Amino acid sequence: MISNISILVSECVGTTAMIFIGLMVTIVCALRGMNQLVASAGWACAVFAGASLADHSGAHLNPAVTVAQVLTGKIMWEQVPFYLIGQLSGACFGAILAAEVFYMDLHANRELENLVSWFATSPRVTYLHALIIECLATSILVSWILSSPRASETEGVFNFGNSGLGYLGVALIVFVLSLAVGEQTGAALNPARDLGPRIVYTLLYRTRGYPSANWRYAWVPVLGPLLGAGVGVLFSSLLQEFR
């Protein structure tokens, strides 16, 4: 059985890579005025890269996925803190690296009112609407991860199943969901993805007089995906009943 320290390190490394790549794409899109399609594709690739690096721990990279896995008995409750610490610390490390790469650009745009959106998500809808969107989008992601059929052989015909796609399958789901709801909420789908970079932005920039980190909204991309994890578990359980 994998050790708790291995879980923490694996999740930290994978989440660091995911956030680093994803935030760099987000910042480039903001600087060059690229559309949501490019940002969604970038985050999908970031998820694929991070998950591949964190394969040893199951590549959760997301507290919502960890909650879903423990609710379905796939991991033990005592492992959860190590997953969560690894994910949040990795999200912070990834944001610090991205901030370092784009230090001059961030300084040049320090008067931009919504500068925090280069790091964390920002809504274009009401907070309640954003909560519902994040919950539903994450529930689709979680239910796909939990319900994805395994590779099997039936009557001599080999069926790869969705899981045969590996982490590419998860990346494609993230791409579609990000494209679908990114304009409304920024498509966090992951509490660590939003919370870690928002903390880093606050410590590195807000304390030096940069624009607001919008902590009033921060609870939405944390609570929404966690609620979505529970809904996703229910969805997958219902699907299992009809198989």
Side-chain angles (χ1 to χ4, degrees):
M1 186 178 69
I2 183 173
S3 70
N4 290 331
I5 297 301
S6 293
I7 289 172
L8 191 155
V9 172
S10 177
E11 290 292 311
C12 181
V13 170
T15 308
T16 296
M18 178 182 72
I19 297 299
F20 180 44
I21 296 170
L23 288 186
M24 285 197 297
V25 173
T26 297
I27 295 172
V28 168
C29 288
L31 288 170
R32 300 185 179 179
M34 296 178 181
N35 59 28
Q36 185 63 38
L37 178 64
V38 177
S40 299
W43 274 102
C45 292
V47 168
F48 178 79
S52 298
L53 288 172
D55 179 71
H56 185 59
S57 60
H60 294 188
L61 310 183
N62 184 341
V65 173
T66 298
V67 167
Q69 296 281 14
V70 75
L71 289 177
T72 53
K74 297 182 185 296
I75 63 171
M76 297 180 291
W77 281 100
E78 54 264 34
Q79 294 175 311
V80 172
F82 296 92
Y83 276 99
L84 299 185
I85 292 171
Q87 291 156 9
L88 185 57
S89 60
C92 289
F93 291 148
I96 290 171
L97 293 175
E100 176 62 26
V101 171
F102 290 95
Y103 172 79
M104 296 303 298
D105 297 289
L106 287 160
H107 181 73
N109 289 273
R110 64 177 299 161
E111 301 302 325
L112 187 65
E113 183 178 351
N114 199 29
L115 186 62
V116 68
S117 66
W118 292 20
F119 285 82
T121 60
S122 297
R124 295 188 178 181
V125 294
T126 65
Y127 287 10
L128 178 59
H129 193 188
L131 181 69
I132 295 171
I133 291 172
E134 287 290 333
C135 175
L136 292 176
T138 308
S139 71
I140 294 171
L141 172 63
V142 167
S143 59
W144 188 91
I145 291 172
L146 295 178
S147 304
S148 181
R150 301 293 178 183
S152 62
E153 186 174 350
T154 305
E155 298 179 354
V157 178
F158 191 77
N159 174 29
F160 284 96
N162 289 347
S163 62
L165 293 171
Y167 298 128
L168 177 60
V170 180
L172 290 174
I173 294 296
V174 169
F175 170 71
V176 172
L177 291 174
S178 179
L179 191 60
V181 305
E183 291 290 342
Q184 285 76 33
T185 67
L189 310 177
N190 180 340
R193 176 265 175 273
D194 187 274
L195 184 58
R198 199 181 298 272
I199 291 172
V200 169
Y201 175 86
T202 300
L203 295 177
L204 293 183
Y205 299 106
R206 180 56 181 162
T207 54
R208 292 159 54 190
Y210 281 57
S212 171
N214 193 15
W215 279 99
R216 290 178 298 176
Y217 176 70
W219 63 275
V220 174
V222 172
L223 181 59
L226 292 178
L227 292 175
V231 175
V233 169
L234 291 176
F235 281 167
S236 63
S237 299
L238 288 174
L239 289 172
Q240 293 294 334
E241 291 294 324
F242 290 99
R243 286 183 178 174

